[in-house]
C-alpha cells in the first residue's frame, strides 16, 4: 500500500486534492486515512477543527476547502470526522472518503457516514467499486458492498457492463456475478467470456456454467464450441459435459486423451452415459501414442492390471509427453517398480523426471542414498538435482519417523 503521509502533508499545505494524491487509486485513499493520523501525531495544529468546519460556506467546496475537509474526514478525533461528514454531500471529490468512513472504527462516525451514503448513493457509486471491495475485507466493510451491489442490480445494465473489464479482479468478479444474475449476457457471450477470461478460474467457471444453463437447443453450437476450444481445463470440462446435455455423447471421445485429467474424466463420464466403454478406446489410442500422448494417462485412470505391460514400454517412448503420462499411469495403477523407474530420474525431459520423482516418493526409503546423492552433483541438470533432493528429503523424514523423532 502506498504511503499516505506525503499526500497528507501536501493537503495540509493547501495543495488541491487531485494534485495531492492519486485519486484513481483505492489504496491511495486508504493510505491517506492512515497518513493524516501520522501527521496529527507530529503536528496536530495543522489539521482542521470543528470550529473551522462550521465556518466553511455551504455548497460545493472550493479546492482549498476540499483539502481541509479531506483532512478532517481522516482526523484522529472522531467528533471532527463526524462533523466533516456534514460537508460531504455536495463534494464529488470527497465521495471516496465517505466510503472509507462507512467502515470507520467509531460507531457514531460509521452510522453517520452510512446514513449520508444511503441518502446520496446513485450511479456514481459503482465507479468506486474497487475502493468498496478493498474496504469490504474489513470487519465493518460489508455495508457499502451491499449498497453497491443493490445499485448495480437495480441500475442500468451499462453500469455493470462497464465493470466487466475493470483492472481490479475482484471488481470483475462482482460484475460478472451480477451480470449473470441479471441475464445481461447471452449464452454465446458467456461462453466466449469463459473461454477468454485469462487465468481467472472463478469467472471462467461462473460464465461456463451460466452459458450452458441458459442455452437452448439452437444455441449449443455457439456455446459448446468455444468452451471445448478454451485453454482452461475447467472450461473445456464444462464444454464436454455440455455435450451430454446436447445428446452428442460420441463427440466426447475426442477429449479422452486431453492433457487435463479433469477433462479426461468428464469425457469418460459422457461416453458412459451414451453407452460407450472408454477403456477399449484408450487401448486403441495407446497403440499409436504419438497421436494421443495423454492416452496413457487415461488408460491408467480407468484401466486394470492387464494394462501394465502396455504402459511400461511407453515409459521409454521417444516423445517426452508420452513418457511422462505413462509414468503417471503406472503410478495410478500402483504398478511402480523402483528398479525400472529410477533410471527416469536421468531423463532429459523435466516433466518426465518430475513424474518419476512423484512415483518414487513412497519408495524413497528403499532407494540407494549414494545413488541419489550422485544426482545432486553440480554437473547434473537442474530438474534432476531437484528431484533427487526431494527424494533424499523424503528418505530422511522416513528414517526420522522410524527412529522415533517427531514428524517434520
Amino acid at each position: 500500500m502506498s504511503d499516505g503521509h506525503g499526500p497528507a502533508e501536501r493537503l495540509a499545505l493547501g495543495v488541491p486534492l487531485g494534485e495531492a494524491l492519486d485519486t484513481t487509486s483505492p489504496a491511495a485513499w486508504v493510505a491517506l486515512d492512515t497518513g493524516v493520523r501520522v501527521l496529527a501525531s507530529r503536528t496536530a495544529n495543522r489539521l482542521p477543527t470543528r470550529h473551522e468546519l462550521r465556518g466553511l460556506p455551504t455548497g460545493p467546496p472550493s479546492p482549498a476547502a476540499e483539502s481541509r475537509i479531506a483532512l478532517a474526514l481522516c482526523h484522529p478525533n472522531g467528533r471532527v470526522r463526524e462533523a466533516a461528514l456534514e460537508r460531504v454531500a455536495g463534494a464529488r471529490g470527497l465521495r471516496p472518503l465517505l466510503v472509507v468512513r462507512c467502515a470507520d472504527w467509531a460507531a457514531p462516525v460509521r452510522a453517520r457516514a452510512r446514513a449520508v451514503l444511503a441518502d446520496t448513493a446513485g450511479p456514481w457509486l459503482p465507479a468506486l467499486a474497487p475502493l468498496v471491495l478493498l474496504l469490504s475485507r474489513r470487519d465493518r466493510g460489508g455495508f457499502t458492498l451491499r449498497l453497491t451491489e443493490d445499485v448495480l442490480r437495480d441500475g442500468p445494465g451499462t453500469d455493470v457492463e462497464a465493470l466487466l473489464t475493470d483492472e481490479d479482479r475482484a471488481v470483475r468478479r462482482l460484475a460478472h456475478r451480477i451480470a449473470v444474475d441479471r441475464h445481461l449476457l447471452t449464452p454465446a457471450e458467456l461462453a466466449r467470456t469463459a473461454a477468454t477470461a485469462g487465468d481467472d478460474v472463478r469467472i471462467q467457471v461462473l460464465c461456463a456454467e451460466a452459458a450452458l444453463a441458459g442455452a437452448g437447443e439452437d444455441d449449443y453450437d455457439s456455446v459448446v464450441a468455444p468452451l471445448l476450444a478454451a485453454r482452461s481445463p475447467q472450461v473445456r470440462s464444462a464444454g464436454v459435459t455440455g455435450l451430454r446435455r446436447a445428446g452428442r455423447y460420441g463427440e466426447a471421445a475426442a477429449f479422452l486423451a486431453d492433457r487435463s485429467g479433469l477433462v479426461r474424466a468428464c469425457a469418460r463420464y459422457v461416453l458412459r452415459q451414451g453407452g460407450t466403454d472408454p477403456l477399449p478406446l484408450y487401448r486403441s489410442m495407446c497403440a499409436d501414442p504419438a497421436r494421443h500422448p495423454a492416452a496413457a494417462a487415461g488408460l491408467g485412470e480407468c484401466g486394470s492390471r492387464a494394462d501394465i505391460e502396455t504402459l511400461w514400454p511407453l515409459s521409454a517412448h521417444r516423445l517426452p509427453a508420452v513418457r511422462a503420462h505413462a509414468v503417471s499411469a503406472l503410478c495410478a495403477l500402483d504398478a511402480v517398480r523402483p528398479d525400472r523407474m529410477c533410471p527416469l530420474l536421468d531423463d532429459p525431459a523435466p516433466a518426465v523426471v518430475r513424474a518419476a520423482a512423484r512415483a518414487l516418493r513412497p519408495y524413497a526409503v528403499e532407494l540407494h542414498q549414494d545413488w541419489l546423492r550422485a544426482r545432486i552433483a553440480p554437473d547434473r541438470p537442474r530438474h534432476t538435482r531437484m528431484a533427487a533432493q526431494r527424494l533424499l528429503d523424503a528418505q530422511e523424514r522416513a528414517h526420522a519417523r522410524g527412529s522415533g523423532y517427531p514428524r517434520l
Side-chain angles (χ1 to χ4, degrees), residues 180-237:
V180 167
D181 291 344
R182 291 185 59 179
H183 304 287
L184 297 178
L185 301 173
T186 66
E189 290 173 330
L190 287 167
R192 288 194 297 271
T193 299
T196 58
D199 60 350
D200 196 320
V201 177
R202 289 191 186 180
I203 292 179
Q204 291 169 354
V205 173
L206 172 71
C207 291
E209 291 178 350
L212 291 172
E217 292 184 4
D218 298 334
D219 295 326
Y220 271 98
D221 285 336
S222 61
V223 169
V224 176
L227 299 181
L228 293 175
R231 294 183 59 185
S232 164
Q234 287 84 0
V235 177
R236 289 201 307 282
S237 65

Short mmCIF file of all heavy atoms in Angstrom, two decimals, residues 180-237:
data_model
loop_
_atom_site.label_atom_id
_atom_site.label_comp_id
_atom_site.label_asym_id
_atom_site.label_seq_id
_atom_site.Cartn_x
_atom_site.Cartn_y
_atom_site.Cartn_z
N VAL A 180 -24.54 -12.15 -14.64
CA VAL A 180 -25.17 -13.48 -14.79
C VAL A 180 -26.54 -13.48 -14.11
O VAL A 180 -27.53 -13.97 -14.68
CB VAL A 180 -24.25 -14.57 -14.19
CG1 VAL A 180 -25.01 -15.88 -14.04
CG2 VAL A 180 -23.04 -14.76 -15.09
N ASP A 181 -26.61 -12.94 -12.90
CA ASP A 181 -27.89 -12.91 -12.19
C ASP A 181 -28.95 -12.10 -12.95
O ASP A 181 -30.13 -12.46 -12.92
CB ASP A 181 -27.71 -12.33 -10.79
CG ASP A 181 -26.90 -13.24 -9.87
OD1 ASP A 181 -26.75 -14.42 -10.21
OD2 ASP A 181 -26.41 -12.74 -8.83
N ARG A 182 -28.50 -11.03 -13.61
CA ARG A 182 -29.44 -10.16 -14.32
C ARG A 182 -29.65 -10.58 -15.77
O ARG A 182 -30.42 -9.94 -16.50
CB ARG A 182 -28.94 -8.71 -14.29
CG ARG A 182 -28.98 -8.07 -12.92
CD ARG A 182 -28.60 -6.59 -12.98
NE ARG A 182 -29.51 -5.84 -13.85
CZ ARG A 182 -29.41 -4.52 -14.07
NH1 ARG A 182 -28.43 -3.83 -13.49
NH2 ARG A 182 -30.26 -3.91 -14.86
N HIS A 183 -28.97 -11.64 -16.20
CA HIS A 183 -29.09 -12.13 -17.59
C HIS A 183 -28.75 -11.03 -18.59
O HIS A 183 -29.44 -10.86 -19.61
CB HIS A 183 -30.52 -12.66 -17.85
CG HIS A 183 -30.95 -13.72 -16.89
ND1 HIS A 183 -30.45 -15.01 -16.92
CD2 HIS A 183 -31.82 -13.67 -15.83
CE1 HIS A 183 -31.01 -15.71 -15.95
NE2 HIS A 183 -31.83 -14.94 -15.27
N LEU A 184 -27.68 -10.31 -18.29
CA LEU A 184 -27.26 -9.23 -19.18
C LEU A 184 -26.47 -9.73 -20.38
O LEU A 184 -26.31 -9.01 -21.37
CB LEU A 184 -26.41 -8.21 -18.41
CG LEU A 184 -27.12 -7.48 -17.25
CD1 LEU A 184 -26.13 -6.56 -16.55
CD2 LEU A 184 -28.31 -6.68 -17.78
N LEU A 185 -25.96 -10.96 -20.32
CA LEU A 185 -25.17 -11.52 -21.39
C LEU A 185 -25.87 -12.75 -21.96
O LEU A 185 -26.47 -13.53 -21.23
CB LEU A 185 -23.77 -11.92 -20.89
CG LEU A 185 -22.94 -10.79 -20.28
CD1 LEU A 185 -21.66 -11.36 -19.67
CD2 LEU A 185 -22.60 -9.73 -21.32
N THR A 186 -25.78 -12.91 -23.27
CA THR A 186 -26.38 -14.07 -23.91
C THR A 186 -25.53 -15.31 -23.61
O THR A 186 -24.35 -15.18 -23.24
CB THR A 186 -26.46 -13.88 -25.43
OG1 THR A 186 -25.12 -13.83 -25.95
CG2 THR A 186 -27.19 -12.59 -25.78
N PRO A 187 -26.09 -16.51 -23.77
CA PRO A 187 -25.28 -17.72 -23.57
C PRO A 187 -24.01 -17.73 -24.42
O PRO A 187 -22.95 -18.16 -23.96
CB PRO A 187 -26.24 -18.85 -23.95
CG PRO A 187 -27.59 -18.30 -23.62
CD PRO A 187 -27.51 -16.84 -23.98
N ALA A 188 -24.10 -17.26 -25.66
CA ALA A 188 -22.92 -17.23 -26.53
C ALA A 188 -21.88 -16.27 -25.99
O ALA A 188 -20.67 -16.56 -26.02
CB ALA A 188 -23.31 -16.85 -27.95
N GLU A 189 -22.31 -15.11 -25.50
CA GLU A 189 -21.37 -14.14 -24.92
C GLU A 189 -20.73 -14.70 -23.66
O GLU A 189 -19.53 -14.51 -23.42
CB GLU A 189 -22.10 -12.84 -24.61
CG GLU A 189 -22.51 -12.05 -25.84
CD GLU A 189 -23.38 -10.85 -25.51
OE1 GLU A 189 -24.12 -10.92 -24.49
OE2 GLU A 189 -23.33 -9.85 -26.24
N LEU A 190 -21.51 -15.39 -22.85
CA LEU A 190 -20.96 -16.01 -21.64
C LEU A 190 -19.93 -17.07 -21.99
O LEU A 190 -18.89 -17.18 -21.34
CB LEU A 190 -22.09 -16.63 -20.83
CG LEU A 190 -23.01 -15.65 -20.09
CD1 LEU A 190 -24.26 -16.36 -19.61
CD2 LEU A 190 -22.28 -15.00 -18.93
N ALA A 191 -20.21 -17.86 -23.03
CA ALA A 191 -19.25 -18.90 -23.43
C ALA A 191 -17.96 -18.28 -23.92
O ALA A 191 -16.87 -18.76 -23.59
CB ALA A 191 -19.87 -19.77 -24.53
N ARG A 192 -18.06 -17.20 -24.70
CA ARG A 192 -16.83 -16.54 -25.18
C ARG A 192 -16.06 -15.94 -24.02
O ARG A 192 -14.82 -15.99 -24.00
CB ARG A 192 -17.19 -15.46 -26.22
CG ARG A 192 -17.64 -16.02 -27.56
CD ARG A 192 -17.63 -14.93 -28.63
NE ARG A 192 -18.58 -13.87 -28.34
CZ ARG A 192 -19.85 -13.87 -28.73
NH1 ARG A 192 -20.33 -14.91 -29.41
NH2 ARG A 192 -20.66 -12.86 -28.46
N THR A 193 -16.78 -15.39 -23.05
CA THR A 193 -16.11 -14.84 -21.87
C THR A 193 -15.39 -15.94 -21.10
O THR A 193 -14.24 -15.77 -20.67
CB THR A 193 -17.12 -14.14 -20.96
OG1 THR A 193 -17.74 -13.06 -21.67
CG2 THR A 193 -16.44 -13.58 -19.72
N ALA A 194 -16.07 -17.07 -20.92
CA ALA A 194 -15.45 -18.18 -20.20
C ALA A 194 -14.18 -18.65 -20.89
O ALA A 194 -13.19 -19.01 -20.24
CB ALA A 194 -16.44 -19.34 -20.08
N ALA A 195 -14.20 -18.64 -22.22
CA ALA A 195 -13.04 -19.14 -22.98
C ALA A 195 -11.90 -18.15 -23.03
O ALA A 195 -10.76 -18.53 -23.33
CB ALA A 195 -13.48 -19.51 -24.40
N THR A 196 -12.18 -16.88 -22.74
CA THR A 196 -11.14 -15.85 -22.90
C THR A 196 -10.89 -15.07 -21.61
O THR A 196 -10.31 -13.99 -21.65
CB THR A 196 -11.55 -14.86 -24.01
OG1 THR A 196 -12.81 -14.24 -23.68
CG2 THR A 196 -11.68 -15.56 -25.34
N ALA A 197 -11.31 -15.62 -20.45
CA ALA A 197 -11.21 -14.88 -19.18
C ALA A 197 -9.84 -15.00 -18.54
O ALA A 197 -9.72 -14.96 -17.32
CB ALA A 197 -12.28 -15.37 -18.21
N GLY A 198 -8.80 -15.14 -19.33
CA GLY A 198 -7.45 -15.17 -18.79
C GLY A 198 -7.26 -16.33 -17.84
O GLY A 198 -7.62 -17.47 -18.13
N ASP A 199 -6.72 -16.03 -16.65
CA ASP A 199 -6.44 -17.08 -15.68
C ASP A 199 -7.37 -17.02 -14.48
O ASP A 199 -7.09 -17.61 -13.44
CB ASP A 199 -4.99 -16.98 -15.21
CG ASP A 199 -4.69 -15.63 -14.55
OD1 ASP A 199 -5.54 -14.73 -14.63
OD2 ASP A 199 -3.60 -15.47 -13.98
N ASP A 200 -8.49 -16.31 -14.62
CA ASP A 200 -9.42 -16.19 -13.51
C ASP A 200 -10.41 -17.36 -13.56
O ASP A 200 -11.42 -17.32 -14.27
CB ASP A 200 -10.17 -14.87 -13.56
CG ASP A 200 -10.86 -14.55 -12.24
OD1 ASP A 200 -11.42 -15.47 -11.63
OD2 ASP A 200 -10.83 -13.38 -11.82
N VAL A 201 -10.13 -18.40 -12.79
CA VAL A 201 -10.94 -19.62 -12.84
C VAL A 201 -12.36 -19.35 -12.37
O VAL A 201 -13.32 -19.94 -12.89
CB VAL A 201 -10.28 -20.72 -11.99
CG1 VAL A 201 -11.14 -21.97 -11.95
CG2 VAL A 201 -8.90 -21.05 -12.53
N ARG A 202 -12.54 -18.46 -11.39
CA ARG A 202 -13.89 -18.19 -10.89
C ARG A 202 -14.79 -17.64 -11.98
O ARG A 202 -15.94 -18.08 -12.14
CB ARG A 202 -13.83 -17.22 -9.71
CG ARG A 202 -13.24 -17.80 -8.44
CD ARG A 202 -13.48 -16.86 -7.27
NE ARG A 202 -12.81 -17.31 -6.07
CZ ARG A 202 -12.85 -16.68 -4.92
NH1 ARG A 202 -13.55 -15.55 -4.82
NH2 ARG A 202 -12.20 -17.14 -3.86
N ILE A 203 -14.29 -16.68 -12.73
CA ILE A 203 -15.09 -16.12 -13.81
C ILE A 203 -15.31 -17.16 -14.90
O ILE A 203 -16.40 -17.27 -15.48
CB ILE A 203 -14.42 -14.85 -14.37
CG1 ILE A 203 -14.45 -13.73 -13.33
CG2 ILE A 203 -15.11 -14.40 -15.66
CD1 ILE A 203 -13.79 -12.45 -13.77
N GLN A 204 -14.28 -17.93 -15.20
CA GLN A 204 -14.40 -18.96 -16.22
C GLN A 204 -15.53 -19.94 -15.88
O GLN A 204 -16.40 -20.22 -16.70
CB GLN A 204 -13.08 -19.73 -16.35
CG GLN A 204 -11.94 -18.92 -16.94
CD GLN A 204 -10.62 -19.64 -16.80
OE1 GLN A 204 -10.52 -20.69 -16.15
NE2 GLN A 204 -9.58 -19.09 -17.39
N VAL A 205 -15.50 -20.47 -14.67
CA VAL A 205 -16.49 -21.47 -14.27
C VAL A 205 -17.88 -20.84 -14.18
O VAL A 205 -18.87 -21.43 -14.64
CB VAL A 205 -16.09 -22.10 -12.92
CG1 VAL A 205 -17.19 -23.01 -12.39
CG2 VAL A 205 -14.79 -22.88 -13.08
N LEU A 206 -17.96 -19.64 -13.60
CA LEU A 206 -19.25 -18.95 -13.49
C LEU A 206 -19.90 -18.77 -14.86
O LEU A 206 -21.08 -19.10 -15.06
CB LEU A 206 -19.05 -17.59 -12.82
CG LEU A 206 -20.27 -16.66 -12.80
CD1 LEU A 206 -21.32 -17.20 -11.84
CD2 LEU A 206 -19.86 -15.24 -12.40
N CYS A 207 -19.13 -18.27 -15.81
CA CYS A 207 -19.68 -17.98 -17.14
C CYS A 207 -19.96 -19.27 -17.92
O CYS A 207 -20.96 -19.35 -18.65
CB CYS A 207 -18.73 -17.07 -17.91
SG CYS A 207 -18.63 -15.40 -17.25
N ALA A 208 -19.09 -20.25 -17.78
CA ALA A 208 -19.31 -21.52 -18.49
C ALA A 208 -20.60 -22.18 -18.01
O ALA A 208 -21.42 -22.65 -18.83
CB ALA A 208 -18.12 -22.44 -18.30
N GLU A 209 -20.79 -22.24 -16.70
CA GLU A 209 -22.00 -22.88 -16.16
C GLU A 209 -23.24 -22.09 -16.54
O GLU A 209 -24.28 -22.68 -16.88
CB GLU A 209 -21.88 -23.00 -14.65
CG GLU A 209 -20.81 -24.01 -14.21
CD GLU A 209 -20.68 -24.09 -12.70
OE1 GLU A 209 -21.27 -23.23 -12.01
OE2 GLU A 209 -19.99 -25.00 -12.20
N ALA A 210 -23.14 -20.76 -16.50
CA ALA A 210 -24.30 -19.94 -16.86
C ALA A 210 -24.62 -20.07 -18.35
O ALA A 210 -25.79 -20.08 -18.75
CB ALA A 210 -24.04 -18.48 -16.51
N ALA A 211 -23.58 -20.17 -19.18
CA ALA A 211 -23.80 -20.34 -20.62
C ALA A 211 -24.55 -21.62 -20.92
O ALA A 211 -25.50 -21.64 -21.71
CB ALA A 211 -22.46 -20.31 -21.35
N LEU A 212 -24.14 -22.71 -20.28
CA LEU A 212 -24.79 -24.00 -20.51
C LEU A 212 -26.21 -24.00 -19.94
O LEU A 212 -27.13 -24.54 -20.56
CB LEU A 212 -23.98 -25.12 -19.88
CG LEU A 212 -22.63 -25.41 -20.55
CD1 LEU A 212 -21.83 -26.40 -19.72
CD2 LEU A 212 -22.83 -25.94 -21.96
N ALA A 213 -26.38 -23.36 -18.78
CA ALA A 213 -27.71 -23.34 -18.16
C ALA A 213 -28.70 -22.54 -19.00
O ALA A 213 -29.89 -22.87 -19.04
CB ALA A 213 -27.62 -22.75 -16.75
N GLY A 214 -28.23 -21.52 -19.67
CA GLY A 214 -29.13 -20.67 -20.44
C GLY A 214 -29.26 -21.03 -21.90
O GLY A 214 -30.04 -20.41 -22.64
N ALA A 215 -28.51 -22.02 -22.35
CA ALA A 215 -28.50 -22.36 -23.78
C ALA A 215 -29.73 -23.18 -24.15
O ALA A 215 -30.11 -24.12 -23.44
CB ALA A 215 -27.24 -23.15 -24.12
N GLY A 216 -30.32 -22.83 -25.27
CA GLY A 216 -31.40 -23.63 -25.83
C GLY A 216 -30.86 -24.60 -26.87
O GLY A 216 -29.65 -24.64 -27.13
N GLU A 217 -31.74 -25.36 -27.48
CA GLU A 217 -31.29 -26.36 -28.45
C GLU A 217 -30.54 -25.72 -29.61
O GLU A 217 -29.60 -26.31 -30.16
CB GLU A 217 -32.49 -27.14 -28.98
CG GLU A 217 -33.14 -28.04 -27.94
CD GLU A 217 -34.26 -28.87 -28.53
OE1 GLU A 217 -34.47 -28.78 -29.76
OE2 GLU A 217 -34.93 -29.58 -27.77
N ASP A 218 -30.93 -24.52 -30.00
CA ASP A 218 -30.30 -23.87 -31.15
C ASP A 218 -29.01 -23.15 -30.77
O ASP A 218 -28.31 -22.64 -31.64
CB ASP A 218 -31.27 -22.86 -31.79
CG ASP A 218 -32.51 -23.53 -32.33
OD1 ASP A 218 -32.43 -24.72 -32.68
OD2 ASP A 218 -33.57 -22.86 -32.40
N ASP A 219 -28.71 -23.08 -29.47
CA ASP A 219 -27.54 -22.32 -29.03
C ASP A 219 -26.30 -23.18 -28.83
O ASP A 219 -25.22 -22.64 -28.62
CB ASP A 219 -27.84 -21.62 -27.68
CG ASP A 219 -28.93 -20.56 -27.81
OD1 ASP A 219 -28.98 -19.92 -28.88
OD2 ASP A 219 -29.71 -20.40 -26.86
N TYR A 220 -26.42 -24.49 -28.88
CA TYR A 220 -25.31 -25.33 -28.46
C TYR A 220 -24.07 -25.17 -29.32
O TYR A 220 -22.95 -25.23 -28.82
CB TYR A 220 -25.75 -26.80 -28.36
CG TYR A 220 -26.29 -27.12 -26.99
CD1 TYR A 220 -27.65 -27.14 -26.75
CD2 TYR A 220 -25.42 -27.34 -25.93
CE1 TYR A 220 -28.14 -27.40 -25.48
CE2 TYR A 220 -25.90 -27.61 -24.66
CZ TYR A 220 -27.27 -27.64 -24.44
OH TYR A 220 -27.75 -27.88 -23.17
N ASP A 221 -24.24 -24.94 -30.61
CA ASP A 221 -23.04 -24.76 -31.44
C ASP A 221 -22.29 -23.50 -31.05
O ASP A 221 -21.06 -23.48 -31.02
CB ASP A 221 -23.44 -24.69 -32.92
CG ASP A 221 -23.79 -26.06 -33.49
OD1 ASP A 221 -23.29 -27.06 -32.92
OD2 ASP A 221 -24.55 -26.13 -34.45
N SER A 222 -23.02 -22.43 -30.74
CA SER A 222 -22.37 -21.17 -30.37
C SER A 222 -21.89 -21.16 -28.94
O SER A 222 -21.10 -20.30 -28.55
CB SER A 222 -23.32 -19.99 -30.61
OG SER A 222 -24.49 -20.12 -29.80
N VAL A 223 -22.37 -22.11 -28.14
CA VAL A 223 -21.98 -22.17 -26.72
C VAL A 223 -20.93 -23.23 -26.48
O VAL A 223 -19.87 -22.98 -25.90
CB VAL A 223 -23.22 -22.41 -25.84
CG1 VAL A 223 -22.80 -22.74 -24.41
CG2 VAL A 223 -24.13 -21.20 -25.85
N VAL A 224 -21.19 -24.45 -26.93
CA VAL A 224 -20.30 -25.56 -26.62
C VAL A 224 -18.96 -25.43 -27.35
O VAL A 224 -17.91 -25.71 -26.78
CB VAL A 224 -20.98 -26.91 -26.93
CG1 VAL A 224 -20.00 -28.07 -26.71
CG2 VAL A 224 -22.21 -27.09 -26.06
N ALA A 225 -18.99 -25.00 -28.60
CA ALA A 225 -17.74 -24.93 -29.39
C ALA A 225 -16.69 -24.04 -28.73
O ALA A 225 -15.53 -24.46 -28.60
CB ALA A 225 -18.04 -24.47 -30.81
N PRO A 226 -17.02 -22.81 -28.29
CA PRO A 226 -15.99 -22.01 -27.61
C PRO A 226 -15.49 -22.65 -26.33
O PRO A 226 -14.31 -22.54 -26.00
CB PRO A 226 -16.71 -20.68 -27.33
CG PRO A 226 -17.85 -20.62 -28.27
CD PRO A 226 -18.27 -22.05 -28.47
N LEU A 227 -16.38 -23.33 -25.60
CA LEU A 227 -15.96 -23.96 -24.35
C LEU A 227 -14.98 -25.09 -24.62
O LEU A 227 -13.98 -25.25 -23.92
CB LEU A 227 -17.18 -24.49 -23.59
CG LEU A 227 -18.23 -23.46 -23.16
CD1 LEU A 227 -19.36 -24.16 -22.40
CD2 LEU A 227 -17.62 -22.36 -22.32
N LEU A 228 -15.27 -25.88 -25.64
CA LEU A 228 -14.40 -27.00 -25.96
C LEU A 228 -13.03 -26.55 -26.46
O LEU A 228 -12.04 -27.29 -26.32
CB LEU A 228 -15.05 -27.89 -27.02
CG LEU A 228 -16.31 -28.64 -26.58
CD1 LEU A 228 -16.92 -29.38 -27.76
CD2 LEU A 228 -16.01 -29.60 -25.44
N ALA A 229 -12.96 -25.35 -27.02
CA ALA A 229 -11.70 -24.85 -27.57
C ALA A 229 -10.91 -24.02 -26.57
O ALA A 229 -9.82 -23.54 -26.90
CB ALA A 229 -11.97 -24.02 -28.82
N ALA A 230 -11.42 -23.86 -25.35
CA ALA A 230 -10.76 -23.00 -24.36
C ALA A 230 -9.46 -23.62 -23.87
O ALA A 230 -9.29 -24.83 -23.86
CB ALA A 230 -11.70 -22.74 -23.19
N ARG A 231 -8.55 -22.77 -23.42
CA ARG A 231 -7.29 -23.25 -22.85
C ARG A 231 -7.50 -23.78 -21.44
O ARG A 231 -6.79 -24.67 -20.99
CB ARG A 231 -6.26 -22.11 -22.82
CG ARG A 231 -5.82 -21.64 -24.20
CD ARG A 231 -4.75 -20.57 -24.09
NE ARG A 231 -3.57 -21.06 -23.38
CZ ARG A 231 -2.52 -20.31 -23.05
NH1 ARG A 231 -2.53 -19.03 -23.37
NH2 ARG A 231 -1.49 -20.83 -22.42
N SER A 232 -8.46 -23.23 -20.73
CA SER A 232 -8.69 -23.62 -19.34
C SER A 232 -9.31 -25.01 -19.26
O SER A 232 -10.35 -25.27 -19.88
CB SER A 232 -9.62 -22.61 -18.67
OG SER A 232 -10.15 -23.13 -17.46
N PRO A 233 -8.73 -25.91 -18.47
CA PRO A 233 -9.34 -27.24 -18.34
C PRO A 233 -10.72 -27.20 -17.68
O PRO A 233 -11.58 -28.00 -18.01
CB PRO A 233 -8.33 -28.01 -17.47
CG PRO A 233 -7.49 -26.98 -16.81
CD PRO A 233 -7.45 -25.81 -17.74
N GLN A 234 -10.94 -26.24 -16.78
CA GLN A 234 -12.26 -26.14 -16.15
C GLN A 234 -13.32 -25.80 -17.20
O GLN A 234 -14.45 -26.32 -17.16
CB GLN A 234 -12.25 -25.08 -15.05
CG GLN A 234 -11.51 -25.48 -13.80
CD GLN A 234 -10.01 -25.23 -13.90
OE1 GLN A 234 -9.51 -24.76 -14.92
NE2 GLN A 234 -9.29 -25.52 -12.83
N VAL A 235 -12.96 -24.93 -18.15
CA VAL A 235 -13.92 -24.54 -19.18
C VAL A 235 -14.11 -25.68 -20.18
O VAL A 235 -15.24 -25.99 -20.59
CB VAL A 235 -13.44 -23.26 -19.89
CG1 VAL A 235 -14.41 -22.89 -21.03
CG2 VAL A 235 -13.34 -22.10 -18.90
N ARG A 236 -13.02 -26.33 -20.57
CA ARG A 236 -13.16 -27.46 -21.50
C ARG A 236 -14.01 -28.57 -20.89
O ARG A 236 -14.83 -29.18 -21.57
CB ARG A 236 -11.78 -28.02 -21.89
CG ARG A 236 -10.98 -27.12 -22.79
CD ARG A 236 -9.91 -27.89 -23.56
NE ARG A 236 -9.04 -28.69 -22.71
CZ ARG A 236 -8.03 -28.23 -21.99
NH1 ARG A 236 -7.77 -26.94 -21.97
NH2 ARG A 236 -7.27 -29.04 -21.26
N SER A 237 -13.81 -28.83 -19.60
CA SER A 237 -14.60 -29.88 -18.96
C SER A 237 -16.08 -29.51 -18.95
O SER A 237 -16.95 -30.39 -19.12
CB SER A 237 -14.10 -30.13 -17.53
OG SER A 237 -14.30 -29.00 -16.71
#
